[in-house]
Short mmCIF file of all heavy atoms in Angstrom, two decimals:
data_model
loop_
_atom_site.label_atom_id
_atom_site.label_comp_id
_atom_site.label_asym_id
_atom_site.label_seq_id
_atom_site.Cartn_x
_atom_site.Cartn_y
_atom_site.Cartn_z
N GLU A 1 0.83 -1.20 0.00
CA GLU A 1 0.00 0.00 0.00
C GLU A 1 0.87 1.24 0.00
O GLU A 1 1.88 1.32 0.70
CB GLU A 1 -0.92 0.01 1.22
CG GLU A 1 -1.91 1.16 1.23
CD GLU A 1 -2.87 1.09 2.41
OE1 GLU A 1 -2.84 0.07 3.14
OE2 GLU A 1 -3.63 2.06 2.61
N VAL A 2 0.44 2.21 -0.80
CA VAL A 2 1.14 3.50 -0.88
C VAL A 2 0.21 4.59 -0.36
O VAL A 2 -0.93 4.72 -0.83
CB VAL A 2 1.58 3.81 -2.32
CG1 VAL A 2 2.28 5.18 -2.37
CG2 VAL A 2 2.49 2.72 -2.86
N ARG A 3 0.68 5.36 0.61
CA ARG A 3 -0.09 6.48 1.15
C ARG A 3 0.63 7.78 0.80
O ARG A 3 1.77 7.99 1.20
CB ARG A 3 -0.25 6.35 2.67
CG ARG A 3 -0.96 5.07 3.11
CD ARG A 3 -1.19 5.07 4.61
NE ARG A 3 -1.79 3.82 5.06
CZ ARG A 3 -1.10 2.81 5.55
NH1 ARG A 3 0.22 2.91 5.67
NH2 ARG A 3 -1.70 1.70 5.92
N ILE A 4 -0.05 8.61 0.06
CA ILE A 4 0.52 9.90 -0.36
C ILE A 4 -0.11 11.01 0.47
O ILE A 4 -1.34 11.09 0.59
CB ILE A 4 0.25 10.14 -1.86
CG1 ILE A 4 0.80 8.98 -2.70
CG2 ILE A 4 0.89 11.45 -2.31
CD1 ILE A 4 0.31 8.99 -4.11
N GLN A 5 0.73 11.84 1.03
CA GLN A 5 0.24 12.91 1.90
C GLN A 5 0.94 14.22 1.54
O GLN A 5 2.15 14.26 1.36
CB GLN A 5 0.52 12.56 3.36
CG GLN A 5 0.09 13.59 4.36
CD GLN A 5 0.30 13.12 5.78
OE1 GLN A 5 -0.29 12.13 6.21
NE2 GLN A 5 1.15 13.82 6.53
N ALA A 6 0.15 15.26 1.36
CA ALA A 6 0.70 16.58 1.05
C ALA A 6 0.07 17.61 1.97
O ALA A 6 -1.13 17.56 2.25
CB ALA A 6 0.44 16.93 -0.41
N SER A 7 0.87 18.52 2.45
CA SER A 7 0.36 19.58 3.33
C SER A 7 0.91 20.93 2.87
O SER A 7 1.96 21.01 2.23
CB SER A 7 0.75 19.31 4.78
OG SER A 7 2.17 19.24 4.92
N ASN A 8 0.21 21.97 3.19
CA ASN A 8 0.60 23.32 2.82
C ASN A 8 1.13 24.06 4.05
O ASN A 8 0.35 24.46 4.93
CB ASN A 8 -0.59 24.06 2.22
CG ASN A 8 -0.22 25.46 1.75
OD1 ASN A 8 0.96 25.83 1.75
ND2 ASN A 8 -1.22 26.23 1.35
N GLY A 9 2.45 24.20 4.11
CA GLY A 9 3.07 24.91 5.23
C GLY A 9 3.35 26.36 4.93
O GLY A 9 3.96 27.06 5.74
N SER A 10 2.88 26.82 3.75
CA SER A 10 3.13 28.22 3.38
C SER A 10 1.97 29.10 3.84
O SER A 10 1.04 28.65 4.49
CB SER A 10 3.27 28.33 1.86
OG SER A 10 2.02 28.08 1.23
N ARG A 11 2.04 30.36 3.46
CA ARG A 11 1.00 31.31 3.83
C ARG A 11 0.03 31.58 2.67
O ARG A 11 -0.89 32.39 2.80
CB ARG A 11 1.62 32.63 4.29
CG ARG A 11 2.49 32.50 5.53
CD ARG A 11 3.06 33.84 5.94
NE ARG A 11 3.88 33.72 7.16
CZ ARG A 11 4.51 34.73 7.72
NH1 ARG A 11 4.41 35.97 7.19
NH2 ARG A 11 5.23 34.54 8.81
N GLU A 12 0.25 30.89 1.57
CA GLU A 12 -0.58 31.08 0.38
C GLU A 12 -1.23 29.76 -0.02
O GLU A 12 -0.70 28.69 0.26
CB GLU A 12 0.27 31.61 -0.80
CG GLU A 12 0.98 32.93 -0.53
CD GLU A 12 0.00 34.08 -0.39
OE1 GLU A 12 -1.10 33.99 -0.98
OE2 GLU A 12 0.33 35.05 0.31
N PRO A 13 -2.40 29.82 -0.69
CA PRO A 13 -3.02 28.59 -1.19
C PRO A 13 -2.11 27.89 -2.20
O PRO A 13 -1.41 28.56 -2.98
CB PRO A 13 -4.31 29.10 -1.86
CG PRO A 13 -4.57 30.44 -1.23
CD PRO A 13 -3.21 31.02 -0.94
N VAL A 14 -2.13 26.59 -2.17
CA VAL A 14 -1.28 25.80 -3.08
C VAL A 14 -2.14 24.71 -3.73
O VAL A 14 -2.91 24.02 -3.06
CB VAL A 14 -0.12 25.12 -2.32
CG1 VAL A 14 0.68 24.23 -3.26
CG2 VAL A 14 0.79 26.17 -1.69
N ALA A 15 -2.02 24.58 -5.05
CA ALA A 15 -2.74 23.53 -5.79
C ALA A 15 -1.86 22.28 -5.85
O ALA A 15 -0.69 22.36 -6.23
CB ALA A 15 -3.09 24.00 -7.19
N VAL A 16 -2.41 21.16 -5.45
CA VAL A 16 -1.67 19.90 -5.50
C VAL A 16 -2.53 18.84 -6.18
O VAL A 16 -3.77 18.92 -6.19
CB VAL A 16 -1.27 19.41 -4.09
CG1 VAL A 16 -0.34 20.39 -3.42
CG2 VAL A 16 -2.49 19.14 -3.23
N ARG A 17 -1.85 17.82 -6.71
CA ARG A 17 -2.56 16.70 -7.31
C ARG A 17 -1.77 15.42 -7.05
O ARG A 17 -0.83 15.10 -7.79
CB ARG A 17 -2.75 16.90 -8.80
CG ARG A 17 -3.75 15.91 -9.38
CD ARG A 17 -4.14 16.25 -10.78
NE ARG A 17 -5.24 15.41 -11.19
CZ ARG A 17 -5.69 15.33 -12.43
NH1 ARG A 17 -5.12 16.06 -13.38
NH2 ARG A 17 -6.70 14.55 -12.73
N PRO A 18 -2.10 14.68 -5.99
CA PRO A 18 -1.34 13.47 -5.65
C PRO A 18 -1.48 12.43 -6.76
O PRO A 18 -2.50 12.34 -7.44
CB PRO A 18 -2.02 12.98 -4.37
CG PRO A 18 -2.80 14.15 -3.86
CD PRO A 18 -3.19 14.93 -5.05
N GLY A 19 -0.44 11.62 -6.92
CA GLY A 19 -0.48 10.56 -7.92
C GLY A 19 0.76 9.70 -7.87
O GLY A 19 1.63 9.86 -7.01
N LEU A 20 0.84 8.79 -8.81
CA LEU A 20 1.98 7.88 -8.93
C LEU A 20 2.41 7.77 -10.37
O LEU A 20 1.59 7.92 -11.30
CB LEU A 20 1.62 6.48 -8.41
CG LEU A 20 1.42 6.29 -6.92
CD1 LEU A 20 0.94 4.85 -6.65
CD2 LEU A 20 2.70 6.55 -6.16
N GLU A 21 3.69 7.49 -10.55
CA GLU A 21 4.22 7.22 -11.88
C GLU A 21 4.76 5.79 -11.89
O GLU A 21 5.55 5.41 -11.02
CB GLU A 21 5.34 8.21 -12.22
CG GLU A 21 5.80 8.11 -13.66
CD GLU A 21 6.80 9.19 -14.03
OE1 GLU A 21 8.00 8.99 -13.77
OE2 GLU A 21 6.37 10.25 -14.56
N LEU A 22 4.30 5.01 -12.84
CA LEU A 22 4.65 3.60 -12.94
C LEU A 22 5.53 3.41 -14.17
O LEU A 22 5.18 3.85 -15.27
CB LEU A 22 3.38 2.76 -13.07
CG LEU A 22 3.50 1.24 -13.13
CD1 LEU A 22 4.02 0.71 -11.80
CD2 LEU A 22 2.14 0.63 -13.43
N SER A 23 6.69 2.78 -14.00
CA SER A 23 7.59 2.56 -15.14
C SER A 23 8.05 1.10 -15.17
O SER A 23 8.19 0.45 -14.14
CB SER A 23 8.80 3.49 -15.07
OG SER A 23 9.58 3.21 -13.93
N GLN A 24 8.26 0.60 -16.37
CA GLN A 24 8.71 -0.78 -16.55
C GLN A 24 9.46 -0.91 -17.87
O GLN A 24 8.99 -0.43 -18.91
CB GLN A 24 7.52 -1.75 -16.55
CG GLN A 24 7.88 -3.20 -16.78
CD GLN A 24 8.74 -3.75 -15.64
OE1 GLN A 24 8.30 -3.79 -14.50
NE2 GLN A 24 9.94 -4.15 -15.96
N VAL A 25 10.62 -1.55 -17.81
CA VAL A 25 11.38 -1.87 -19.02
C VAL A 25 11.20 -3.36 -19.28
O VAL A 25 11.40 -4.19 -18.40
CB VAL A 25 12.88 -1.53 -18.85
CG1 VAL A 25 13.66 -1.96 -20.09
CG2 VAL A 25 13.04 -0.04 -18.60
N PHE A 26 10.80 -3.70 -20.50
CA PHE A 26 10.51 -5.08 -20.85
C PHE A 26 11.74 -5.73 -21.48
O PHE A 26 11.94 -5.70 -22.70
CB PHE A 26 9.32 -5.14 -21.81
CG PHE A 26 8.07 -4.52 -21.25
CD1 PHE A 26 7.65 -3.27 -21.69
CD2 PHE A 26 7.34 -5.16 -20.27
CE1 PHE A 26 6.50 -2.69 -21.17
CE2 PHE A 26 6.19 -4.59 -19.75
CZ PHE A 26 5.78 -3.35 -20.20
N LEU A 27 12.54 -6.33 -20.63
CA LEU A 27 13.75 -7.03 -21.06
C LEU A 27 13.75 -8.44 -20.49
O LEU A 27 13.11 -8.71 -19.47
CB LEU A 27 15.00 -6.29 -20.60
CG LEU A 27 15.27 -4.91 -21.21
CD1 LEU A 27 16.48 -4.27 -20.55
CD2 LEU A 27 15.49 -5.02 -22.72
N GLY A 28 14.48 -9.35 -21.13
CA GLY A 28 14.57 -10.72 -20.64
C GLY A 28 13.22 -11.40 -20.65
O GLY A 28 12.49 -11.35 -21.65
N GLU A 29 12.87 -12.05 -19.53
CA GLU A 29 11.59 -12.75 -19.45
C GLU A 29 10.40 -11.80 -19.57
O GLU A 29 9.33 -12.19 -20.03
CB GLU A 29 11.50 -13.52 -18.13
CG GLU A 29 12.46 -14.70 -18.03
CD GLU A 29 12.23 -15.49 -16.75
OE1 GLU A 29 11.31 -15.14 -15.99
OE2 GLU A 29 12.99 -16.44 -16.52
N LEU A 30 10.57 -10.56 -19.15
CA LEU A 30 9.48 -9.59 -19.24
C LEU A 30 9.16 -9.24 -20.69
O LEU A 30 8.05 -8.82 -21.00
CB LEU A 30 9.85 -8.31 -18.48
CG LEU A 30 9.90 -8.44 -16.96
CD1 LEU A 30 10.37 -7.13 -16.35
CD2 LEU A 30 8.54 -8.82 -16.40
N ALA A 31 10.14 -9.41 -21.59
CA ALA A 31 9.91 -9.10 -23.00
C ALA A 31 9.07 -10.16 -23.68
O ALA A 31 8.42 -9.91 -24.69
CB ALA A 31 11.25 -8.93 -23.72
N GLY A 32 9.08 -11.39 -23.13
CA GLY A 32 8.31 -12.47 -23.74
C GLY A 32 8.83 -12.79 -25.12
O GLY A 32 10.03 -12.81 -25.37
N ASP A 33 7.91 -13.02 -26.06
CA ASP A 33 8.29 -13.29 -27.44
C ASP A 33 7.54 -12.33 -28.35
O ASP A 33 6.81 -11.45 -27.89
CB ASP A 33 7.98 -14.75 -27.82
CG ASP A 33 6.55 -15.15 -27.47
OD1 ASP A 33 5.63 -14.37 -27.81
OD2 ASP A 33 6.35 -16.21 -26.87
N SER A 34 7.74 -12.50 -29.66
CA SER A 34 7.14 -11.56 -30.61
C SER A 34 5.62 -11.65 -30.65
O SER A 34 4.95 -10.76 -31.18
CB SER A 34 7.70 -11.83 -32.02
OG SER A 34 7.44 -13.16 -32.42
N TYR A 35 5.06 -12.74 -30.12
CA TYR A 35 3.61 -12.92 -30.15
C TYR A 35 2.93 -12.48 -28.85
O TYR A 35 1.71 -12.37 -28.80
CB TYR A 35 3.26 -14.40 -30.40
CG TYR A 35 3.79 -14.92 -31.72
CD1 TYR A 35 4.94 -15.70 -31.75
CD2 TYR A 35 3.16 -14.61 -32.91
CE1 TYR A 35 5.44 -16.17 -32.95
CE2 TYR A 35 3.64 -15.08 -34.11
CZ TYR A 35 4.78 -15.87 -34.13
OH TYR A 35 5.28 -16.33 -35.32
N SER A 36 3.70 -12.26 -27.79
CA SER A 36 3.11 -11.93 -26.50
C SER A 36 2.97 -10.42 -26.33
O SER A 36 3.76 -9.63 -26.86
CB SER A 36 3.95 -12.50 -25.36
OG SER A 36 5.26 -11.98 -25.39
N PHE A 37 1.94 -10.03 -25.58
CA PHE A 37 1.67 -8.61 -25.35
C PHE A 37 2.55 -8.08 -24.22
O PHE A 37 2.75 -8.73 -23.21
CB PHE A 37 0.20 -8.42 -24.97
CG PHE A 37 -0.13 -7.02 -24.56
CD1 PHE A 37 -0.48 -6.07 -25.49
CD2 PHE A 37 -0.09 -6.64 -23.21
CE1 PHE A 37 -0.79 -4.77 -25.11
CE2 PHE A 37 -0.40 -5.35 -22.82
CZ PHE A 37 -0.74 -4.42 -23.77
N HIS A 38 3.06 -6.88 -24.40
CA HIS A 38 3.64 -6.13 -23.30
C HIS A 38 3.42 -4.65 -23.58
O HIS A 38 3.65 -4.17 -24.68
CB HIS A 38 5.13 -6.45 -23.06
CG HIS A 38 5.98 -6.49 -24.27
ND1 HIS A 38 6.03 -7.57 -25.12
CD2 HIS A 38 6.83 -5.59 -24.79
CE1 HIS A 38 6.88 -7.33 -26.11
NE2 HIS A 38 7.38 -6.13 -25.93
N GLY A 39 2.92 -3.97 -22.56
CA GLY A 39 2.56 -2.57 -22.73
C GLY A 39 1.73 -2.09 -21.55
O GLY A 39 1.95 -2.49 -20.41
N VAL A 40 0.75 -1.25 -21.84
CA VAL A 40 -0.09 -0.63 -20.81
C VAL A 40 -1.51 -1.18 -20.91
O VAL A 40 -2.05 -1.30 -22.01
CB VAL A 40 -0.12 0.91 -20.99
CG1 VAL A 40 -1.05 1.55 -19.97
CG2 VAL A 40 1.28 1.49 -20.86
N VAL A 41 -2.08 -1.52 -19.77
CA VAL A 41 -3.47 -1.98 -19.70
C VAL A 41 -4.21 -1.10 -18.71
O VAL A 41 -3.71 -0.83 -17.61
CB VAL A 41 -3.58 -3.46 -19.27
CG1 VAL A 41 -5.04 -3.91 -19.29
CG2 VAL A 41 -2.74 -4.35 -20.18
N VAL A 42 -5.40 -0.63 -19.11
CA VAL A 42 -6.19 0.27 -18.27
C VAL A 42 -7.61 -0.27 -18.15
O VAL A 42 -8.24 -0.60 -19.17
CB VAL A 42 -6.24 1.69 -18.87
CG1 VAL A 42 -7.12 2.60 -18.02
CG2 VAL A 42 -4.84 2.27 -19.01
N GLU A 43 -8.11 -0.37 -16.91
CA GLU A 43 -9.54 -0.60 -16.74
C GLU A 43 -10.18 0.76 -16.51
O GLU A 43 -9.91 1.43 -15.51
CB GLU A 43 -9.87 -1.52 -15.56
CG GLU A 43 -11.38 -1.77 -15.50
CD GLU A 43 -11.85 -2.57 -14.31
OE1 GLU A 43 -11.10 -2.68 -13.32
OE2 GLU A 43 -12.98 -3.07 -14.36
N THR A 44 -11.02 1.17 -17.44
CA THR A 44 -11.64 2.49 -17.37
C THR A 44 -12.71 2.54 -16.29
O THR A 44 -13.14 1.50 -15.76
CB THR A 44 -12.27 2.87 -18.72
OG1 THR A 44 -13.37 1.98 -19.00
CG2 THR A 44 -11.24 2.77 -19.84
N ALA A 45 -13.17 3.74 -15.98
CA ALA A 45 -14.21 3.92 -14.97
C ALA A 45 -15.50 3.22 -15.37
O ALA A 45 -16.30 2.84 -14.51
CB ALA A 45 -14.46 5.41 -14.76
N LYS A 46 -15.70 3.00 -16.66
CA LYS A 46 -16.90 2.33 -17.15
C LYS A 46 -16.76 0.81 -17.16
O LYS A 46 -17.70 0.11 -17.52
CB LYS A 46 -17.25 2.83 -18.55
CG LYS A 46 -17.61 4.31 -18.60
CD LYS A 46 -17.95 4.75 -20.01
CE LYS A 46 -18.33 6.22 -20.06
NZ LYS A 46 -18.68 6.66 -21.44
#
């Protein structure tokens, strides 16, 4: 589990947008073969 926390210690309003960045290099076994899929998969809100 990842918990992201941001606070404003300044005297002015601050806009923030918590999030994560996911990265992966497909080498070796992760690359699979020319017939296998590797890339990004998203389940949409719908």
Side-chain angles (χ1 to χ4, degrees):
E1 185 177 353
V2 179
R3 300 186 184 96
I4 304 167
Q5 179 175 298
S7 59
N8 183 8
S10 69
R11 297 181 179 179
E12 301 293 333
V14 176
V16 297
R17 193 170 189 190
L20 289 175
E21 188 174 85
L22 183 66
S23 64
Q24 178 65 61
V25 177
F26 302 105
L27 294 175
E29 291 185 3
L30 290 176
D33 51 47
S34 58
Y35 300 101
S36 60
F37 173 87
H38 46 281
V40 177
V41 183
V42 177
E43 183 185 18
T44 66
K46 296 181 179 180

